[in-house]
Amino acid sequence: MAITMSSFALLLMIGVPISIVLGLASVVYVAVSGDLALLETMPQRLYSGIETHGLLAIPLFMLAGELMNLGGITSRLIQFSQTLFGHFKGGLAYVNIIANMFLSSILGSSLAQTAMMSRVMVPAMQKEGYTKEFSAATTAAAAMLGPIIPPSMLFILYSVGAGTSVSKMFLAGILPGIILTIGFSLLIAYLGYKNNFPKSEKRPVKEMWSATIQVIPALLVPAIIILGITLGIFTATESAAIACALAFVVGILLYRELKWADIPTVFLNTARSTATVTLLLAMANLFGLVLTFERVPQVLAAWMGSITENPLIFLLILNIFLLLVGMIMDGIASIVILVPILVPIAKLFEIDLVHLGVIICINTVIGSLTPPVGAGLFVASSVGEVKLEPLIRQIWPFLGVSVVVLFILTYLPTLVLWIPSLFS
């Protein structure tokens, strides 16, 4: 196993894509162990890991996001946020946070949200007098809301790996997402007062009313998704299909910005994104087979039990461990690799698996903005055309707020489990 993990670390350090790293490390294990029977089961394992019905929600929500972007829903959400909050000191920074909160209920992916919003908000904030570095940092931090407020791709992956309800995970993400939004808004208020951020003129009531009327169809999409799941009308996967249908109707018939000529591009972008995630899932499932053969979950569980029997101390160790993992590993990869290992340990400490899922997902999202490997940083740097070093300096206050919120949610599980308990 030592040779396998060494090859895993080496391939990761030289920049090999994580999905390929997982596959090659699994092959190295077979070669070193000489277990040819394991080699025969690998092709079957590759396919069995992606045959779960719950995973169908991922490409469907990706498709919904593509339809909404081209259908004018995204632009109207940003315009609505700017009309309501743009006149405050640091107004455009608030707009960035609030618009990302709305969009989180559509896209569910922090990297996709970072790329999309960086194209829109960084030039707009720079034009208003904000530095490009602060604009990119605010956008990247606000995009963290994507995997927390439902629908969330990370929640779906966690639910499949942990055997929990996707609907419960979606409900559990609502309040943490709102708390994180409030935390970022308070930080903007402090920085706005300290640095004398600019503000725009207050919009006339007529313009505010017009923006509100125009955004109602856009807000109906996430509202119907969440209400349908909470009321038990449809499952999370079915809600993804309904989201696609609603986004298509709104874009084609109501806003009339989605054209029939755009549909092939929408499907192509969705297929590319889905293929990336699917390959990673298949390879991670293969590597999971190796970990199972080596009884890694049982060994780690025994080790954790020898350190402490206090669940509060275990949660502290878990958060530190996940924050460190997030610095060097992609969020999706860490979810699919670590969840099968951590769930049995959490059960020993009698930790609710929905609560555990929210903790793990928030940690992985924080990791996406943490050097040296933080993918969110690289996306914001590339799309926003900002150098990485000054961007990292600007992102630290947002990371500090995120870690504070993480520990609040860790030790006050009621904040996570209250909404799911209302519909249990």
Side-chain angles (χ1 to χ4, degrees), residues 20-311:
I20 306 301
V21 172
L22 292 168
L24 289 176
S26 302
V27 173
V28 168
Y29 175 81
V30 173
V32 171
S33 65
D35 191 344
L36 297 181
L38 182 61
L39 184 63
E40 292 175 358
T41 63
M42 280 187 167
Q44 182 183 3
R45 188 80 176 192
L46 281 171
Y47 287 98
S48 65
I50 55 176
E51 287 181 332
T52 306
H53 178 260
L55 293 177
L56 182 60
I58 293 177
L60 289 174
F61 277 126
M62 287 180 175
L63 176 59
E66 292 287 341
L67 290 170
M68 290 175 186
N69 289 339
L70 292 175
I73 292 177
T74 300
S75 60
R76 280 168 176 80
L77 287 171
I78 295 173
Q79 183 183 353
F80 173 69
S81 303
Q82 190 162 4
T83 302
L84 293 186
F85 303 101
H87 60 281
F88 293 106
K89 186 181 287 293
L92 212 51
Y94 287 115
V95 169
N96 202 339
I97 302 295
I98 303 300
N100 270 286
M101 184 184 74
F102 284 132
L103 290 170
S104 296
S105 60
I106 295 173
L107 294 178
S109 167
S110 62
L111 296 185
Q113 200 159 313
T114 301
M116 184 189 70
M117 291 296 285
S118 293
R119 295 188 190 99
V120 178
M121 294 306 301
V122 173
M125 290 181 69
Q126 193 179 9
K127 188 177 179 181
E128 288 283 328
Y130 298 86
T131 65
K132 185 182 283 190
E133 293 78 13
F134 176 78
S135 304
T138 304
T139 304
M144 285 178 59
L145 299 167
I148 299 169
I149 295 179
S152 165
M153 181 165 41
L154 291 185
F155 282 177
I156 296 169
L157 294 175
Y158 173 82
S159 299
V160 172
T164 60
S165 165
V166 178
S167 299
K168 282 188 177 181
M169 286 299 303
F170 279 7
L171 293 172
I174 295 174
L175 198 53
I178 293 172
I179 294 172
L180 194 57
T181 301
I182 293 172
F184 286 161
S185 299
L186 292 174
L187 176 63
I188 294 297
Y190 167 74
L191 293 175
Y193 174 78
K194 179 182 177 182
N195 301 320
N196 195 27
F197 281 166
K199 63 179 180 179
S200 59
E201 294 184 4
K202 190 171 183 178
R203 305 295 176 89
V205 175
K206 184 178 180 180
E207 188 175 339
M208 288 185 179
W209 178 250
S210 175
T212 303
I213 295 298
Q214 288 189 32
V215 84
I216 288 175
L219 292 177
L220 278 176
V221 178
I224 290 174
I225 292 171
I226 294 172
L227 281 174
I229 292 173
T230 55
L231 298 176
I233 299 172
F234 40 71
T235 65
T237 303
E238 291 166 347
S239 75
I242 292 169
C244 293
L246 288 172
F248 180 78
V249 170
V250 170
I252 288 280
L253 299 180
L254 293 180
Y255 293 155
R256 298 184 180 180
E257 291 189 20
L258 182 64
K259 309 300 181 185
W260 287 103
D262 296 327
I263 301 302
T265 303
V266 166
F267 283 130
L268 183 60
N269 290 342
T270 303
R272 284 173 175 166
S273 301
T274 303
T276 302
V277 175
T278 304
L279 178 62
L280 179 56
L281 286 171
M283 292 299 184
N285 201 51
L286 201 63
F287 192 68
L289 181 64
V290 171
L291 297 179
T292 302
F293 263 73
E294 288 292 315
R295 302 184 76 252
V296 171
Q298 292 86 341
V299 171
L300 277 177
W303 177 69
M304 285 284 189
S306 67
I307 293 178
T308 179
E309 295 180 357
N310 189 327

Side-chain angles (χ1 to χ4, degrees), residues 315-316 319-320 323 402-412:
L315 287 172
L316 175 64
N319 275 320
I320 295 172
L323 287 171
S402 303
V403 171
V404 170
V405 171
L406 168 65
F407 278 94
I408 290 173
L409 296 172
T410 298
Y411 292 109
L412 292 175

Side-chain angles (χ1 to χ4, degrees), residues 6-25:
S6 299
S7 64
F8 180 94
L10 178 62
L11 291 169
L12 204 61
M13 284 190 293
I14 63 176
V16 177
I18 183 64
S19 54
I20 306 301
V21 172
L22 292 168
L24 289 176

